Amino acid sequence: MGFTGKNTKKADGATRTTVVAAGTELVGDIKLKDNLHLDGKMEGSLVSQGDVAIGRSGRFKGDVQAKRVLVSGLLDGKVDADRLEIVASGQVSGEIKVRELVIESGGQFIGASQVKKHDAPQLKQVGGAVESDSEPTTNPAVG
């Protein structure tokens, strides 16, 4: 078929990777707890709690939601991830919503992008002074 491994963690806590081999074509929706490496073709919706890698021969059309997405092949659709990396042979077209976008020389992106906000300490006003939710800092030079 083209799948190897199961979508569970090994006894040592390491993350597993599901592989869709070259020559395999999938149509439909997939939801994974771990990583996916795509060398074949897939059309549909993909949700992974781990990373998604689209290999050089990989072709994906649809929606991807994952922690990180690495594209060496072709991706056409929507991406929602913390990090999208398009390497020299990679091509992405569509809409992306990411915290980090990396495009290597030779990589291609055509579409619309939106940057997700990073988690930052929230400022709040207390008694006329602005305070931060983060740890207080002290300056030893101030007496």
Side-chain angles (χ1 to χ4, degrees):
M1 179 171 189
F3 284 106
T4 60
K6 295 182 180 178
N7 294 324
T8 57
K9 294 194 180 196
K10 296 179 184 176
D12 63 3
T15 304
R16 292 185 181 236
T17 300
T18 298
V19 177
V20 179
T24 302
E25 294 185 26
L26 296 174
V27 176
D29 300 335
I30 295 180
K31 187 173 182 179
L32 301 169
K33 289 185 179 180
D34 295 314
N35 302 332
L36 175 79
H37 184 92
L38 176 68
D39 282 326
K41 294 180 182 179
M42 181 179 167
E43 185 174 336
S45 173
L46 172 60
V47 176
S48 174
Q49 292 177 11
D51 300 339
V52 172
I54 299 174
R56 268 191 119 102
S57 63
R59 307 290 182 260
F60 182 89
K61 185 172 185 175
D63 298 341
V64 177
Q65 183 179 349
K67 283 190 178 198
R68 293 180 296 195
V69 178
L70 173 71
V71 181
S72 301
L74 299 174
L75 187 152
D76 181 14
K78 292 182 182 179
V79 176
D80 185 347
D82 287 339
R83 179 181 173 98
L84 171 61
E85 187 171 342
I86 306 169
V87 299
S89 59
Q91 297 178 13
V92 174
S93 60
E95 298 176 31
I96 64 171
K97 184 176 180 181
V98 295
R99 281 192 174 87
E100 296 178 58
L101 174 61
V102 178
I103 304 175
E104 288 185 4
S105 180
Q108 297 179 8
F109 170 66
I110 300 169
S113 65
Q114 183 178 356
V115 177
K116 288 183 178 182
K117 292 183 179 182
H118 288 275
D119 297 332
Q122 298 295 317
L123 297 178
K124 58 184 175 183
Q125 189 167 354
V126 177
V130 176
E131 295 182 1
S132 171
D133 284 344
S134 62
E135 292 290 320
T137 57
T138 57
N139 186 346
V142 176

